[in-house]
């Protein structure tokens, strides 16, 4: 036996184990197993405490059709919870327990993740409370369709991981090596393929709206577009390869009232590049309603500035 190499492998395993056990020790007290009962039957999932006064973050599909349920924590505490608000279009929901006491888990920024980075999933799969699995970030920038009635929206920047996820993990924490929550586990897409809604500036806004209002107000412009390449000279000058070519403008909509026409190419909105439909949708949250949104567009080889006022999406 090659004792030298065996020692190296053992040392590496010890370091890996120390990270995973450290994350588990930090997060297990903050993660609850949720039980809900609806007209469709009984369901289960996980949730992560993110405030000291008992607010927990989970998936919208975990609490769909329920007003409340039961939360069980790792220390044996069982308490009722109420659903504060849910947003199916981001698959995020906020619940609040009746007897708070669990420590708040720190929320991080998934935009800083790197492919290959170690992540740890904490949840309650298959009714097995307090389960911990580990893996790596397998992919970033994935997309996941979400539906609310007839409305369909793409959840972008979804995290792909090979950390084992099973039914019941939904709503649980995906954390980095420091025990900071960077995602909420949401789906098992196949063998060795799990997905998590990222914690970033967009989802933080959604969480804030759910806590404050119990729902997420969304804005709309009344315009549909498809990504299209910018002219090479302009792309080089702006350091931006794509824009959104307008293929539909709803009459009387904020876009129509602002003077946006078919064939225009949206380049920036609110100072941010609009290279995809998702980039524009990220701006269409509650704070945008009734607020001036400057847009720069390309029309007949000329740059044109217009100002829109997004309206609330009903």
């Amino acid at each position: 036996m090659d004792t030298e190499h065996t020692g190296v492998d053992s040392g590496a395993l010890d370091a890996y184990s120390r990270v995973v056990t450290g994350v588990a020790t930090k997060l297990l007290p903050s993660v609850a197993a949720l039980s809900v009962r609806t007209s469709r039957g009984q369901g289960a999932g996980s949730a992560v405490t993110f405030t000291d006064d008992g607010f927990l973050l989970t998936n919208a599909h975990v609490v769909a059709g329920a007003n409340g349920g039961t939360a069980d924590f790792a220390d044996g505490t069982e308490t009722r919870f109420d659903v504060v608000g849910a947003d199916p279009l981001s698959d995020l929901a906020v619940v609040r327990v009746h007897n708070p006491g669990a420590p708040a888990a720190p929320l991080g920024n998934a935009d800083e993740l790197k492919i290959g980075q170690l992540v740890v999933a904490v949840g309650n799969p298959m009714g097995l409370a307090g389960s911990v699995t580990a893996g790596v970030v397998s992919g970033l920038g994935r997309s996941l369709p979400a539906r609310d009635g007839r409305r369909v929206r793409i959840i972008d920047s979804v995290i792909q991981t090979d950390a084992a996820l099973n039914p019941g993990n939904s709503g649980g924490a995906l954390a980095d090596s420091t025990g900071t929550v960077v995602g909420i586990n949401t789906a098992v897409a196949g063998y060795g393929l799990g997905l998590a809604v990222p914690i970033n500036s967009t989802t933080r806004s959604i969480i804030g709206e759910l806590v404050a209002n119990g729902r997420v107000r969304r804005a709309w412009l009344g315009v549909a577009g498809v990504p299209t390449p910018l002219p090479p000279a302009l792309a080089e000058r702006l350091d931006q390869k794509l824009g959104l070519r307008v293929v539909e403008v709803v009459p009387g909509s904020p876009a129509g009232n602002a003077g946006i026409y078919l064939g225009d190419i949206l380049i920036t909105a609110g100072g941010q590049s609009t290279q995809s439909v998702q980039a524009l949708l990220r701006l269409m949250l509650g704070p945008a309603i009734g607020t001036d949104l400057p847009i720069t567009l390309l029309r007949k080889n000329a740059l044109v500035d217009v100002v829109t006022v997004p309206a609330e999406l009903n």
Side-chain angles (χ1 to χ4, degrees):
M1 178 181 291
D2 189 338
T3 55
E4 180 181 354
H5 285 86
T6 301
V8 170
D9 291 344
S10 177
L13 178 61
D14 287 345
Y16 177 88
S17 298
R18 284 196 296 271
V19 171
V20 176
T21 55
V23 173
T25 299
K26 184 175 182 178
L27 286 185
L28 278 172
S30 304
V31 177
L34 300 187
S35 297
V36 299
R37 183 176 294 278
T38 70
S39 58
R40 299 190 303 273
Q42 190 163 348
S46 306
V48 185
T49 306
F50 69 97
T51 71
D52 291 328
D53 53 350
F55 285 96
L56 283 72
L57 189 59
T58 186
N59 287 144
H61 75 259
V62 169
V63 295
N67 295 319
T70 303
D72 292 280
F73 290 88
D75 64 358
T77 300
E78 178 179 323
T79 179
R80 296 286 300 173
F81 72 82
D82 298 317
V83 177
V84 176
D87 179 44
L89 293 179
S90 65
D91 199 19
L92 291 174
V94 171
V95 304
R96 191 174 192 181
V97 295
H98 291 189
N99 298 305
L107 300 184
N109 182 7
D111 293 344
E112 297 175 356
L113 290 174
K114 306 294 184 185
I115 292 178
Q117 183 173 339
L118 173 66
V119 286
V120 179
V122 182
N124 304 280
M126 313 295 289
L128 302 174
S131 294
V132 177
T133 58
V136 298
V137 175
S138 306
L140 293 168
R142 306 305 193 204
S143 297
L144 182 68
R147 179 181 295 274
D148 182 12
R150 291 180 299 174
R151 291 189 292 167
V152 177
R153 182 177 181 271
I154 300 297
I155 305 173
D156 59 355
S157 301
V158 169
I159 305 164
Q160 177 189 334
T161 179
D162 66 352
L165 300 179
N166 292 287
N169 266 121
S170 289
L174 187 71
D176 64 15
S177 59
T178 69
T180 299
V181 179
V182 291
I184 299 298
N185 300 317
T186 189
V188 181
Y191 180 75
L193 178 58
L195 301 174
V197 177
I199 301 295
N200 55 25
S201 58
T202 301
T203 51
R204 282 176 180 272
S205 296
I206 290 171
I207 295 166
E209 289 234 3
L210 289 174
V211 171
N213 305 312
R215 67 186 185 96
V216 176
R217 300 169 66 223
R218 284 189 164 81
W220 78 298
L221 287 177
V223 62
V226 295
T228 189
L230 296 178
L234 182 61
E236 183 177 0
R237 177 157 67 91
L238 299 178
D239 192 25
Q240 179 177 326
K241 294 182 179 180
L242 302 174
L244 283 180
R245 181 178 296 278
V246 176
V247 296
E248 180 181 2
V249 179
V250 177
S253 68
N257 293 337
I260 295 176
Y261 303 111
L262 292 178
D264 287 346
I265 299 176
L266 306 186
I267 297 175
T268 64
Q272 300 183 37
S273 65
T274 52
Q275 301 194 62
S276 66
V277 174
Q278 287 72 33
L280 189 60
L281 287 175
R282 279 196 294 269
L283 302 175
M284 296 293 104
L285 292 174
I289 298 170
T291 303
D292 288 354
L293 180 69
I295 290 178
T296 297
L297 51 86
L298 181 66
R299 177 183 297 159
K300 296 180 179 178
N301 296 319
L303 293 178
V304 177
D305 292 323
V306 299
V307 176
T308 63
V309 182
E312 183 168 3
L313 178 64
N314 296 318

